[in-house]
């Protein structure tokens, strides 16, 4: 059985960036550094791309080579390395979930804000348990009851990010089709719509509806999320998911492109107040339909 890869975390990504910058400041290519430290070049590549955490001996060897002599700087990087693979509550679910999902959650848990466009689902952070259960059951038809429950519990744990003392700021845009699709049936969906309306009263959560009348728009290729982080040394990150897997984009040009795309969608969508009115009308119409 293949060894499960350690999901990258914000700290691991930060350590990778620090070591990459130190090497470049030393005027060394990755091949130079590998040859002069006897560290395998493939290992060094994995360290610099946040795919692996360096062992303490490897880290100290690199710091020596890059001329990092300041004791406080060395101690800070060693401590960062120690913390780089800590997954907190997610540790209990790691073996049950796909690597790309645990990776996303590890980043989301430390993000300052998320800009999320969804074309098919209610954003995960805003889902009710009934909605989540229906989505997981439909998308994973061969999953056991225990596996489904683990997914539901994980999503519920994630939602603590938007209710903690220093909550994650969420800006969400959903296609109108998301709100009409009766995931889990009429009763589950009615509860989901009411939940969305309640959540929009929180100052750190904005929800906008992208109506059908907009026609063609920049988000037609699919859902995406743009995350940014409290520490300025941690660059923004774009997350894209499809049936083939997950993709993380870190290049400045890609981040700028998706940020601009989100702004275009935000301009095309109903504003926050009108989106609330849209939800109100939809809830009322669904209620009327059930009473007939």
């Amino acid at each position: 059985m293949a060894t499960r890869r350690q999901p990258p975390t914000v700290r691991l990504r930060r350590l990778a960036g620090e070591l990459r910058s130190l090497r470049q400041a030393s005027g060394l290519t990755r091949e130079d550094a590998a040859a002069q430290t006897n560290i395998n070049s493939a290992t060094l590549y994995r360290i610099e791309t946040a795919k692996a955490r360096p062992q303490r001996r490897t880290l100290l060897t690199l710091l020596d080579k890059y001329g990092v002599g300041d004791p406080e700087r060395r101690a800070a990087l060693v401590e960062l390395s120690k913390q780089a693979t800590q997954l907190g509550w997610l540790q209990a679910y790691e073996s049950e979930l796909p690597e790309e999902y645990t990776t996303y959650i590890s980043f989301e848990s430390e993000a300052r804000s998320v800009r999320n466009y969804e074309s098919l689902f209610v954003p995960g952070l805003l889902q009710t348990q009934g909605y989540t259960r229906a989505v997981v059951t439909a998308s994973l038809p061969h999953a056991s009851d225990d596996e489904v429950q683990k997914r539901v519990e994980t999503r519920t744990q994630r939602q603590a990010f938007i209710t903690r003392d220093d909550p994650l700021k969420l800006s969400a845009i959903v296609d109108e089709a998301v709100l009409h699709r009766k995931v889990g049936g009429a009763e589950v969906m009615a509860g989901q719509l009411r939940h969305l309306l309640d959540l929009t009263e929180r100052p750190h959560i904005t929800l906008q509806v992208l109506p059908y009348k907009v026609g063609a728009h920049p988000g037609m290729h699919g859902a995406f999320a743009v995350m940014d982080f409290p520490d300025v040394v941690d660059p923004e990150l774009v997350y894209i998911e499809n049936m083939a897997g997950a993709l993380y984009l870190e290049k400045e040009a890609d981040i700028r492109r998706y940020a601009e795309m989100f702004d275009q969608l935000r301009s095309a969508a109903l504003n926050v107040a009108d989106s609330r009115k849209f939800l109100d009308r939809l809830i009322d119409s669904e209620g009327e339909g059930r009473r007939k």
Side-chain angles (χ1 to χ4, degrees):
M1 180 181 295
T3 302
R4 184 182 176 92
R5 183 172 66 87
Q6 165 66 43
T9 63
V10 172
R11 293 179 184 86
L12 186 60
R13 190 165 164 248
R14 186 186 307 164
L15 178 64
E18 291 270 10
L19 292 174
R20 192 167 58 245
S21 296
L22 285 169
R23 174 181 57 74
Q24 291 168 346
S26 300
L28 298 172
T29 66
R30 189 178 294 126
E31 291 72 22
D32 292 337
Q36 294 177 28
T37 58
N38 290 322
I39 296 172
N40 184 279
S41 59
T43 298
L44 188 55
Y45 170 80
R46 288 174 58 79
I47 290 170
E48 289 193 359
T49 55
K51 291 180 171 61
R53 180 176 69 89
Q55 296 181 357
R56 178 184 173 87
R57 181 176 59 185
T58 299
L59 176 59
L60 294 178
T61 297
L62 291 173
L63 295 182
D64 288 341
K65 186 62 191 176
Y66 301 154
V68 181
D70 178 35
E72 290 187 5
R73 182 79 189 283
R74 291 172 70 93
L77 290 170
V78 169
E79 183 61 27
L80 183 61
S81 180
K82 288 180 181 177
Q83 298 174 358
T85 55
Q86 293 178 4
L87 296 175
W89 65 266
L90 186 57
Q91 196 81 42
Y93 299 94
E94 184 189 2
S95 63
E96 308 287 338
L97 301 171
E99 290 182 16
E100 59 266 23
Y101 190 33
T102 55
T103 296
Y104 178 82
I105 298 173
S106 73
F107 286 138
E108 182 185 66
S109 67
E110 298 193 55
R112 176 178 58 188
S113 72
V114 175
R115 285 162 283 173
N116 185 196
Y117 166 69
E118 290 289 347
S119 57
L120 296 175
F121 305 100
V122 169
L125 291 172
L126 306 180
Q127 292 178 9
T128 63
Q129 286 195 16
Y131 185 98
T132 297
R133 188 177 301 278
V135 168
V136 174
T137 301
S139 58
L140 299 173
H142 302 297
S144 67
D145 291 344
D146 185 59
E147 289 170 331
V148 171
Q149 182 60 28
K150 290 285 188 184
R151 294 292 187 104
V152 174
E153 289 175 2
T154 302
R155 191 148 300 177
T156 301
Q157 290 270 21
R158 281 176 58 200
Q159 291 167 357
F161 303 157
I162 59 173
T163 59
R164 62 195 181 195
D165 291 339
D166 182 21
L168 172 71
K169 181 180 179 181
L170 176 64
S171 297
I173 300 171
V174 297
D175 192 278
E176 181 177 344
V178 171
L179 305 178
H180 288 295
R181 183 173 291 108
K182 290 182 173 57
V183 173
E187 186 174 346
V188 168
M189 197 62 202
Q192 177 64 75
L193 293 174
R194 289 192 296 270
H195 184 60
L196 288 175
L197 196 57
D198 290 342
L199 288 174
T200 59
E201 296 179 357
R202 297 174 182 260
H204 58 283
I205 298 173
T206 62
L207 176 68
Q208 292 178 254
V209 178
L210 189 67
Y212 289 143
K213 66 182 181 181
V214 167
H217 59 78
M220 293 182 73
H221 290 293
F224 63 91
V226 182
M227 289 179 272
D228 75 331
F229 303 91
D231 198 317
V232 294
V233 303
D234 298 321
E236 291 179 293
L237 187 69
V238 173
Y239 172 78
I240 305 169
E241 183 181 7
N242 55 42
M243 290 297 291
L247 181 64
Y248 291 91
L249 306 178
E250 302 181 69
K251 292 182 180 178
E252 186 176 339
D254 290 327
I255 294 168
R256 184 169 58 250
R257 178 161 56 93
Y258 276 89
E260 290 173 354
M261 189 186 306
F262 190 86
D263 287 341
Q264 291 167 353
L265 291 169
R266 181 159 44 196
S267 296
L270 300 176
N271 63 34
V272 172
D274 287 341
S275 294
R276 283 183 56 84
K277 292 176 183 176
F278 183 95
L279 284 170
D280 261 327
R281 289 194 298 270
L282 191 55
I283 291 169
D284 287 344
S285 67
E286 292 293 329
E288 286 293 330
R290 289 198 301 277
R291 286 192 290 272
K292 289 180 180 178

